[in-house]
Amino acid sequence: MHNLLNFILKYNYWFLFVLLEIISFTLLFRFNQFQGSAFFTTANGVAGTVYKASSEVTSYFHLKDINDRLTDRNIRLEQQVVGLRKVLKAKGDSLQPIDSVSRVLFHTLSMIKANVIDNSINKRNNYLTLDRGKADGVKPEMGVIDGRGVVGIVYLTSAHYSVVLPILNSKTSISCKIREHDYYGFLRWDGKDPLHANLEDIPRYARCKKGDVVVTSGYSEVFPQGIFVGIVEKIFNSADGMSYQLRVRLSTDFSRLTTVRVISNSEMKEVRALKQQVAEGEDTNK
Amino acid sequence: MAFIVLVFFQVLVFNHVHLFGYATPFLYIYLLLKLNLGTSRAELLIWGFLLGLAVDIFSNTPGVSAASTTFYALLQPILVRLFTPRDSDDTIEPGFKTMGIAPFIRFIVISVLLHHTVLFTIEFFSFVNWTDWLISILSSTLLTVFCVIAIEGIRMKKKAS
């Protein structure tokens, strides 16, 4: 007994070492599997405050650039609206549909404006931190977009901050389709190039070509239909040869994200609730 | 104090450095390198763990840095003993003066290499791409060693003047 006690006292640091390593790995695997470990991430209050302060300083450096891009985009969109109205008039249709569509969009979609306070693009798994959290209505699994396209999906939230899984994370998978043909697949990232992602599971009989526009499909109830994702750059066979894989040039520039919008879609909640009912029903039938 | 400064520098500056897309300096390990031989091993482990955890919380990698710094903290005293003269007393702080220039550099290189190997192995866990893994380890080790030596040099000059 005495010897045992001596042994434990002499090598106590080994036990400490094993204990600390177990804690580390528990954190590692918990973060990968469960949500709600927000305390150990940048959604944590202290980390959030530090990054917020730092981003408040650095955000000024990009202002001119952002302004230029916004102006460009505004001009393009205005031209587009004018062009579309002309086409509609020429066809003799009334302009009623446009107005009703925009009313529906603004009614069901509400956007929460948020600032990106921390961002990375060079790791295998990247994360964004936003300065909006539960208190502002942000919840896990809400979609995040910026002016140029899809950004990612909310992963963890604390009271005032949230962590987003951007497209540039190996865990992200977003349901997308080719705008012209409606063939859909899943957008995933291969962990290397922050400008490109792959659209997988496109059926072999799908006819697609370089330059096709990829948009969200609206099936995944995170994003509404038709939000811009990117442009097809290359088409090749998937590893198993059963489907096409498309290399997509992403429209969002992840290295320059500053302000984004979190989509909270009231209709999406209904869809999700229905799907859950179906899933539960299947479980009880078994 | 040095702890807070190092963590802040790591998460606000060094984490955003990616030379050639691979090399990132992980300078926070400097704190562990400099702990003197008199520190008890339990204390070393706790410092290592807290340091890693703090960096993890800020960079959304819970457990990755903590596991690797704890691992390094276990080996630190062994490595220090390996590179110091046998007759030196127990409270020396690793550095150019106490260890000599060549042994200290060797000590840094081996320490950093060990730490980075564990760090990147955990980070690449699910990735089979081992050439990326190797390049990341080697290039980051080079960069970290360079930064550590630079800081050490600056501190030595300050003390001398």
Side-chain angles (χ1 to χ4, degrees):
Chain A
M1 192 60 204
H2 189 71
N3 278 344
L4 182 71
L5 271 177
N6 259 347
F7 175 81
I8 291 175
L9 278 178
K10 196 171 174 198
Y11 293 101
N12 63 3
Y13 63 88
W14 275 105
F15 295 103
L16 188 65
F17 170 72
V18 172
L19 178 77
L20 292 177
E21 289 288 351
I22 290 173
I23 297 174
S24 304
F25 279 96
T26 320
L27 284 176
L28 177 67
F29 292 118
R30 261 185 62 106
F31 184 59
N32 286 339
Q33 282 162 10
F34 301 107
Q35 311 213 334
S37 46
F39 178 76
F40 288 106
T41 67
T42 43
N44 159 319
V46 178
T49 324
V50 170
Y51 277 128
K52 198 170 176 181
S54 124
S55 82
E56 261 165 22
V57 176
T58 51
S59 65
Y60 287 104
F61 300 134
H62 308 290
L63 276 184
K64 188 179 172 298
D65 211 42
I66 293 169
N67 240 334
D68 286 350
R69 274 187 283 147
L70 276 178
T71 321
D72 276 357
R73 204 180 140 77
N74 248 336
I75 293 169
R76 254 207 333 272
L77 286 174
E78 266 169 16
Q79 282 172 341
Q80 223 172 22
V81 169
V82 170
L84 285 173
R85 276 180 186 261
K86 260 187 200 157
V87 171
L88 270 180
K89 254 198 185 141
K91 276 193 166 176
D93 292 341
S94 71
L95 295 179
Q96 205 67 41
I98 296 186
D99 299 331
S100 70
V101 161
S102 60
R103 212 178 314 128
V104 168
L105 265 179
F106 284 115
H107 180 65
T108 54
L109 280 183
S110 63
M111 308 258 196
I112 303 162
K113 186 176 158 255
N115 293 311
V116 175
I117 55 172
D118 178 45
N119 187 7
S120 71
I121 57 168
N122 283 302
K123 291 189 203 149
R124 303 298 164 286
N125 284 315
N126 297 293
Y127 298 92
L128 302 175
T129 313
L130 306 182
D131 65 347
R132 293 279 183 276
K134 271 180 221 151
D136 311 284
V138 177
K139 293 188 196 95
E141 293 190 27
M142 281 182 169
V144 180
I145 59 174
D146 89 330
R148 316 217 288 172
V150 169
V151 172
I153 297 168
V154 177
Y155 185 51
L156 297 169
T157 51
S158 66
H160 297 289
Y161 299 96
S162 50
V163 173
V164 175
L165 284 187
I167 296 175
L168 308 185
N169 189 306
S170 61
K171 281 180 245 169
T172 316
S173 158
I174 295 170
S175 173
C176 296
K177 65 178 184 183
I178 299 167
R179 190 168 65 189
E180 282 79 7
H181 312 290
D182 285 353
Y183 295 119
Y184 81 96
F186 291 96
L187 191 75
R188 296 199 182 91
W189 192 53
D190 59 3
K192 281 179 198 147
D193 180 1
L195 298 176
H196 295 91
N198 294 325
L199 186 59
E200 296 169 359
D201 302 338
I202 295 286
R204 296 284 297 191
Y205 52 82
R207 268 197 221 118
C208 41
K209 57 179 191 305
K210 246 164 88 172
D212 278 352
V213 173
V214 177
V215 295
T216 54
S217 69
Y219 295 158
S220 64
E221 76 258 6
V222 173
F223 296 102
Q225 201 181 29
I227 290 182
F228 201 58
V229 175
I231 286 167
V232 175
E233 211 170 71
K234 218 166 123 192
I235 301 164
F236 44 92
N237 291 329
S238 66
D240 56 5
M242 301 292 277
S243 55
Y244 282 133
Q245 200 176 4
L246 310 181
R247 189 104 176 122
V248 179
R249 161 115 203 167
L250 299 171
S251 59
T252 311
D253 184 350
F254 284 90
S255 59
R256 294 197 292 192
L257 284 179
T258 44
T259 47
V260 294
R261 304 263 180 300
V262 181
I263 305 171
S264 73
N265 192 337
S266 46
E267 277 190 2
M268 295 300 177
K269 269 182 221 150
E270 279 182 45
V271 177
R272 205 174 298 161
L274 270 177
K275 278 197 177 173
Q276 206 159 8
Q277 274 180 26
V278 173
E280 279 165 11
E282 276 175 353
D283 282 347
T284 49
N285 284 344
K286 271 176 197 166
Chain B
M1 185 59 205
F3 182 90
I4 297 172
V5 172
L6 261 181
V7 171
F8 268 41
F9 260 92
Q10 181 65 41
V11 296
L12 292 179
V13 182
F14 297 122
N15 267 358
H16 299 279
V17 174
H18 299 277
L19 273 188
F20 315 113
Y22 289 106
T24 307
F26 295 97
L27 212 60
Y28 55 86
I29 197 183
Y30 181 71
L31 194 83
L32 294 182
L33 287 174
K34 293 294 283 180
L35 282 179
N36 70 42
L37 259 182
T39 322
S40 83
R41 302 196 72 159
E43 206 181 318
L44 247 167
L45 285 172
I46 289 172
W47 271 117
F49 179 73
L50 289 180
L51 181 67
L53 190 68
V55 173
D56 275 340
I57 287 177
F58 278 96
S59 39
N60 279 324
T61 51
V64 178
S65 306
S68 51
T69 45
T70 312
F71 175 77
Y72 175 68
L74 183 77
L75 297 179
Q76 199 257 10
I78 304 170
L79 289 168
V80 176
R81 282 220 188 278
L82 202 64
F83 290 104
T84 40
R86 243 163 244 287
D87 53 344
S88 54
D89 59 8
D90 264 4
T91 52
I92 63 155
E93 181 191 279
F96 282 122
K97 279 231 177 88
T98 50
M99 293 169 101
I101 290 175
F104 184 57
I105 291 178
R106 259 179 275 155
F107 163 69
I108 297 173
V109 171
I110 294 198
S111 301
V112 172
L113 189 67
L114 275 170
H115 168 258
H116 285 20
T117 309
V118 178
L119 182 76
F120 280 110
T121 310
I122 300 172
E123 202 186 335
F124 275 65
F125 224 76
S126 58
F127 283 83
V128 255
N129 201 337
W130 70 274
T131 45
D132 270 10
W133 171 79
L134 203 65
I135 297 173
S136 297
I137 290 178
L138 294 180
S139 58
S140 299
T141 302
L142 211 67
L143 200 61
T144 310
V145 167
F146 182 78
C147 291
V148 169
I149 293 176
I151 287 191
E152 205 39 37
I154 295 170
R155 285 188 59 187
M156 237 167 62
K157 257 193 188 156
K158 259 195 186 159
K159 264 182 203 163
S161 64

